[in-house]
Amino acid sequence: VKVVVFGAGYVGFSTSVLFAQEYPTTVVDVSQEKVETINAGGCPFVDKDYERYRLKACTQLEATQDIDVVDDAAYACIAIPSDYCETLNAYDTSDIKELVLEISQRNQDAVIVIRSTVGVGFTEQISELVENEVVYCPEFLREGSAVRDTFSPDRIVIGGDMDTARRLAESMRSCLDLRTTPVLYATYAEAEAVKLFANAYLAMRVAFFNELDSFALHHDLDAKKIIDGVCLDPRIEQHYNNPSFGFGGYCLPKDTQVLSKVTGLTYGMLIDSITQSNDARKQLIAERIKQLGPKTIGIYRLCMKRGSDNFREAAIIDILRFLHDNGESLVIFEPLASEDTYEGVPVIKDFIRFCDMSDVILANRVDDRIKPFADKVFTRDVFQRD
Ligand SMILES: NC(=O)c1ccc[n+]([C@@H]2O[C@H](COP(=O)([O-])OP(=O)(O)OC[C@H]3O[C@@H](n4cnc5c(N)ncnc54)[C@H](O)[C@@H]3O)[C@@H](O)[C@H]2O)c1
């Protein structure tokens, strides 16, 4: 069995490391830099667990920019981006569609496994255009622990023909060596809906505890006490409840938005209100900072969360834009920013200088570096985790 994975990002690279534990695996990416990193034994993103799986994977894992490798593959997995398109109010899946057609032209025997997040109905439509078996197998990993989450998933969900789905599940489970991982077999649309509702639930939970925290801020109450009191109920549980400046990242905002379009048309308002709640939260944080009347506002880190190595759709960036548009004087401290400015705001490389310049420092998450400057820090990281 030869496996080819398209896309060497969080999902694609983790999937390829997984398959490479058992099968010869090639990951195809348009980025030469990523291909070189992988072929040199590296991980194309920051991941604390990769080292544990690296040695075995490296003997059977290679990367290339060349699509020819799919010609004799048994599985062709697709994990390329599906960005949110504002004009369509849906995912832009044009690249995925093009790739499916190209794979099919080259190799009709390859089982095409879509791992990118797609809208409900997409896999059915695409499967009608090709002779290949197509399955949809969503990924639920978190950036920062992408490899670990792929190696110990809570569940494997596969939509499509039952025999093909069973074969894929067996192939995955032999790599995972986790005979107990539950596998859910479903139709395409059901599997697509699982992915979207799972992320919308997570977004809703973040938005819920942020609304609770906004309430506590408004009434000058201790948010931690209220959350503890609420979450000691075993039906609610003490996890994934730490307030923040808003949910963000690559997946939760776009998946919630796409789902709300579908559910909003027919059934309800809840999913749609999640995005509205998140927008209101960011606005509230920005306005509170303005009310403090600082001469200069410091933005400590643009990353979405602890351990993240990118700024995709981070809530702090919307807050930064709001404050910047309102004429506030801002500075940023972000070691991952390579330029001297970000969206017109100066990036200060020297941490102590950054702290000296800032009258108030916005920190979505508090870490050991910023802790000594607590008297200047504005955060809602009540539990100092997540
Ligand atoms: N990041 C997550 O936490 C996460 C979790 C679950 C699902 N997803 C979904 O998985 C998909 C991929 O997300 P990601 O975060 O891994 O993306 P990413 O941006 O980290 O990686 C995508 C990779 O695909 C490459 N690429 C783009 N077009 C290509 C093509 N035609 N052929 C080969 N390579 C190509 C890019 O160069 C990039 O390296 C998206 O649909 C996303 O919604 C992401």
Side-chain angles (χ1 to χ4, degrees):
V1 174
K2 175 180 163 184
V3 180
V4 170
V5 180
F6 290 89
Y10 297 90
V11 173
F13 182 68
S14 307
T15 300
S16 68
V17 175
L18 171 77
F19 276 113
Q21 306 293 308
E22 284 295 325
Y23 308 112
T25 303
T26 307
V27 56
V28 182
D29 202 287
V30 288
S31 154
Q32 189 182 343
E33 194 187 335
K34 287 194 177 180
V35 166
E36 284 170 4
T37 304
I38 295 166
N39 285 335
C43 182
F45 46 84
V46 174
D47 193 287
K48 53 186 182 308
D49 305 298
Y50 175 56
E51 276 304 309
R52 271 173 53 203
Y53 304 99
R54 189 168 82 95
L55 278 181
K56 187 157 182 204
C58 280
T59 59
Q60 299 206 85
L61 176 65
E62 58 178 20
T64 180
Q65 290 181 286
D66 203 341
I67 193 169
D68 293 4
V69 289
V70 83
D71 294 359
D72 60 346
Y75 288 112
C77 304
I78 297 182
I80 68 172
S82 51
D83 292 343
Y84 177 69
C85 169
E86 233 161 276
T87 2
L88 298 172
N89 192 13
Y91 300 113
D92 179 353
T93 43
S94 50
D95 288 350
I96 300 177
K97 182 176 170 187
E98 205 177 295
L99 186 55
V100 169
L101 296 177
E102 181 152 12
I103 293 167
S104 178
Q105 268 178 7
R106 292 178 161 276
N107 178 356
Q108 292 198 342
D109 297 327
V111 175
I112 299 176
V113 182
I114 298 182
R115 303 226 75 193
S116 302
T117 303
V118 295
V120 178
F122 175 81
T123 316
E124 177 87 52
Q125 281 168 19
I126 205 83
S127 71
E128 285 166 4
L129 303 178
V130 294
E131 293 295 321
N132 302 58
E133 290 286 354
V134 181
V135 288
Y136 178 62
C137 179
E139 174 54 70
F140 301 94
L141 61 78
R142 294 160 299 174
E143 290 177 14
S145 56
V147 174
R148 190 183 62 205
D149 289 350
T150 304
F151 274 78
S152 41
D154 311 307
R155 73 290 210 194
I156 297 170
V157 177
I158 309 178
D161 170 74
M162 190 57 122
D163 288 342
T164 319
R166 278 194 202 286
R167 267 187 286 130
L168 174 66
E170 280 318 300
S171 304
M172 289 176 82
R173 286 170 123 197
S174 65
C175 306
L176 293 166
D177 199 22
L178 273 182
R179 312 304 301 174
T180 51
T181 305
V183 183
L184 181 84
Y185 298 102
T187 64
Y188 290 139
E190 285 161 353
E192 288 159 343
V194 168
K195 173 66 192 168
L196 298 189
F197 276 96
N199 270 1
Y201 177 82
L202 295 175
M204 179 182 73
R205 195 163 164 117
V206 176
F208 179 88
F209 287 103
N210 282 343
E211 276 201 19
L212 182 160
D213 182 60
S214 296
F215 169 85
L217 268 174
H218 186 75
H219 293 283
D220 205 13
L221 304 172
D222 183 344
K224 184 172 180 301
K225 268 192 210 156
I226 305 174
I227 295 172
D228 280 340
V230 169
C231 292
L232 281 166
D233 184 326
R235 291 170 298 179
I236 302 175
E237 285 194 7
Q238 186 66 266
H239 67 93
Y240 210 60
N241 57 3
N242 190 17
S244 65
F245 292 163
F247 64 78
Y250 184 39
C251 296
L252 297 197
K254 69 173 177 135
D255 295 354
T256 307
Q257 245 166 326
V258 167
L259 183 62
S260 75
K261 184 185 162 192
V262 189
T263 53
L265 282 174
T266 39
Y267 307 110
M269 295 167 288
L270 177 65
I271 311 278
D272 195 32
S273 70
I274 299 170
T275 304
Q276 290 175 39
S277 167
N278 200 43
D279 290 344
R281 172 69 171 177
K282 292 183 276 192
Q283 181 94 17
L284 175 134
I285 298 290
E287 271 159 12
R288 281 197 84 96
I289 295 300
K290 264 187 72 173
Q291 278 163 17
L292 296 174
K295 270 217 316 254
T296 300
I297 301 164
I299 307 284
Y300 179 68
R301 307 300 314 260
L302 297 174
C303 293
M304 188 51 224
K305 54 183 183 180
R306 265 186 208 97
S308 171
D309 62 346
N310 69 68
F311 322 145
R312 295 195 282 197
E313 303 297 322
I316 190 79
I317 292 175
D318 283 336
I319 294 171
L320 175 149
R321 285 183 189 133
F322 177 89
L323 292 168
H324 194 47
D325 291 349
N326 276 267
E328 298 291 330
S329 161
L330 302 168
V331 288
I332 297 170
F333 180 77
E334 176 49 74
L336 297 176
S338 46
E339 309 291 329
D340 292 336
T341 59
Y342 183 87
E343 301 215 355
V345 176
V347 176
I348 309 298
K349 307 279 176 200
D350 180 333
F351 176 66
I352 299 298
R353 193 166 151 252
F354 160 81
C355 292
D356 285 347
M357 287 171 85
S358 310
D359 300 302
V360 58
I361 298 174
L362 246 85
N364 186 45
R365 289 295 177 246
V366 172
D367 59 18
D368 289 344
R369 192 174 208 174
I370 200 68
K371 250 184 208 159
F373 301 87
D375 54 332
K376 284 189 174 186
V377 169
F378 179 92
T379 186
R380 299 310 300 158
D381 186 4
V382 171
F383 293 99
Q384 305 218 345
R385 58 168 160 75
D386 295 333

